[in-house]
Amino acid sequence: MSCSEEAPGYSQFGLFGQSFSLMQLLRLAWALTAAAACFLILLILHNHILREGQLLAGTCEIVTLDRDSSQPRRTIARQTARCACKKGQIAGTTRARPACVDLGIVWTRQWCEMAPCLDDEGCGLLVNQSGWTCTQPGGRVKTTTVS
């Protein structure tokens, strides 16, 4: 059999100046199908893990919120947040919500740099830098201490 002849039962296909046998094309199709199936399985597993209680990087959620109004004209609120912060960040507060903030803010205890108050409130550091106050336009003051 010469080089130009075709073996019985094998077909040649041309693609971009190359010739492929039917067997080579079937192997390529099988490999691409397997790769696509693996990708789909990984995507499904990733979504399942995120749904089962994992947070996306850089996000927070409130886990518990307790309010104590037993004292007149005073409400004590305690909240616990769970955060999945990126490298160089730590759980903090931005606009009265839990958020990931730069680690340097916590180290230097310059709490107002993380913008913990609402937009219409003014932020002030406590004298001992253990927290901050948010002063509303009407004069009401909310004090937050870090524990």
Side-chain angles (χ1 to χ4, degrees):
M1 186 181 299
S2 69
C3 290
S4 63
E5 290 182 25
E6 199 173 284
Y10 288 97
S11 300
Q12 295 286 326
F13 296 94
L15 184 66
F16 302 115
Q18 305 244 344
S19 66
F20 297 97
S21 70
L22 182 59
M23 188 59 78
Q24 288 173 321
L25 289 175
L26 286 174
R27 284 182 186 154
L28 178 63
W30 179 251
L32 290 174
T33 304
C38 286
F39 178 75
L40 184 62
I41 290 170
L42 285 174
L43 187 64
I44 291 169
L45 284 174
H46 177 72
N47 288 339
H48 180 71
I49 289 171
L50 285 179
R51 230 181 293 122
E52 292 296 323
Q54 290 220 353
L55 296 174
L56 292 173
T59 62
C60 297
E61 69 178 1
I62 296 174
V63 179
T64 61
L65 178 61
D66 300 316
R67 292 187 187 273
D68 178 7
S69 300
S70 61
Q71 299 177 12
R73 296 186 50 180
R74 185 174 182 180
T75 300
I76 299 172
R78 290 181 184 87
Q79 77 177 19
T80 305
R82 186 172 72 117
C83 297
C85 297
K86 297 176 183 174
K87 187 176 181 178
Q89 292 184 324
I90 194 167
T93 304
T94 301
R95 288 180 182 71
R97 303 281 305 154
C100 293
V101 299
D102 290 333
L103 193 56
I105 292 171
V106 177
W107 281 347
T108 60
R109 301 176 75 82
Q110 297 299 312
W111 307 114
C112 290
E113 288 183 24
M114 64 183 175
C117 303
L118 297 173
D119 289 335
D120 63 340
E121 298 174 335
C123 182
L125 274 177
L126 295 179
V127 177
N128 60 1
Q129 293 185 321
S130 64
W132 63 90
T133 58
C134 295
T135 307
Q136 295 177 342
R140 183 171 171 225
V141 177
K142 295 185 289 184
T143 302
T144 304
T145 55
V146 178
S147 58

